[in-house]
Amino acid sequence: MRISWDAYFMKIAEDVALRSTCNRAWVGAVMVRERHIISTGYNGSPAGLQHCDDVGHLMVDGHCVRTVHAEVNAIIQAAVFGLATRDAECYVTHFPCLNCSKMLINARISRLVYKDAYRIDPIALEFFQQAGVGVVELVEKD
C-alpha cells in the first residue's frame, strides 16, 4: 500500500531525528514546499561547537541550552541556502515548543504536521490558529 505524503515526509523527519546530538530528545523537522524538501533540521549544538553527546548537557532551569531545536535548524538551513519558507509545510516529530512555534509562524509556514503530542502548549496552538497555520497530528493507522 502506498503511504500518504504526510506519512512519507514524517518518516523522513524520523530519520532526520536520528542525527540529533542531544539525547534528551531526538527531534527531526522537514520543511516541504510543493511536495519537495527544502530543508531539514534536528536537535543539536550550533555548528562547530561541542555536542551534548560528547561533553554533556548544559542545563539551565531544567533545559539544555546547548541545543538548537530541530525546527529552528530547519529554518536556518533554508536561510543559509537561500530557500524561502513562505507557504512551506513543516513536518516535525514532536509538537514544537512555544518559541519554535513563534519562529515557524514568522517563517510563514502554512501547515504544521506533528506526530508526538509532546508538551503541547495551548498558547502555541492559539498562536497557530490566529496566524492561519493549519495544525495536524499525524496518527498512525494499525
Side-chain angles (χ1 to χ4, degrees):
M1 184 171 97
R2 191 173 189 192
I3 64 173
S4 68
W5 285 108
D6 283 350
Y8 171 74
F9 290 120
M10 187 59 70
K11 285 185 179 296
I12 294 170
E14 290 170 339
D15 283 345
V16 170
L18 297 175
R19 292 281 306 154
S20 294
T21 61
C22 181
N23 64 8
R24 287 179 48 87
W26 291 279
V27 180
V30 177
M31 299 289 277
V32 175
R33 197 172 56 245
E34 297 179 21
R35 295 187 179 156
H36 293 276
I37 296 170
I38 59 171
S39 69
T40 64
Y42 51 85
N43 283 3
S45 299
L49 301 185
Q50 294 179 312
H51 300 293
C52 296
D53 290 352
D54 297 330
V55 297
H57 302 288
L58 182 57
M59 300 300 291
V60 176
D61 295 328
H63 298 282
C64 180
V65 297
R66 186 184 312 281
T67 299
V68 179
H69 289 188
E71 304 90 331
V72 174
N73 273 325
I75 292 167
I76 291 167
Q77 287 304 305
V80 165
F81 292 101
L83 299 167
T85 56
R86 179 182 297 275
D87 298 325
E89 297 174 302
C90 182
Y91 292 83
V92 64
T93 56
H94 297 65
F95 189 87
C97 70
L98 180 57
N99 282 331
C100 287
S101 297
K102 293 185 289 185
M103 291 181 206
L104 288 167
I105 290 167
N106 274 359
R108 304 296 194 267
I109 67 163
S110 62
R111 187 168 175 256
L112 171 76
V113 181
Y114 70 94
K115 184 174 179 183
D116 188 345
Y118 176 77
R119 295 185 180 174
I120 294 180
D121 188 318
I123 296 171
L125 281 174
E126 182 181 334
F127 284 176
F128 281 128
Q129 182 181 20
Q130 290 174 4
V133 175
V135 176
V136 176
E137 180 179 11
L138 188 62
V139 179
E140 288 186 17
K141 296 177 184 172
D142 295 329

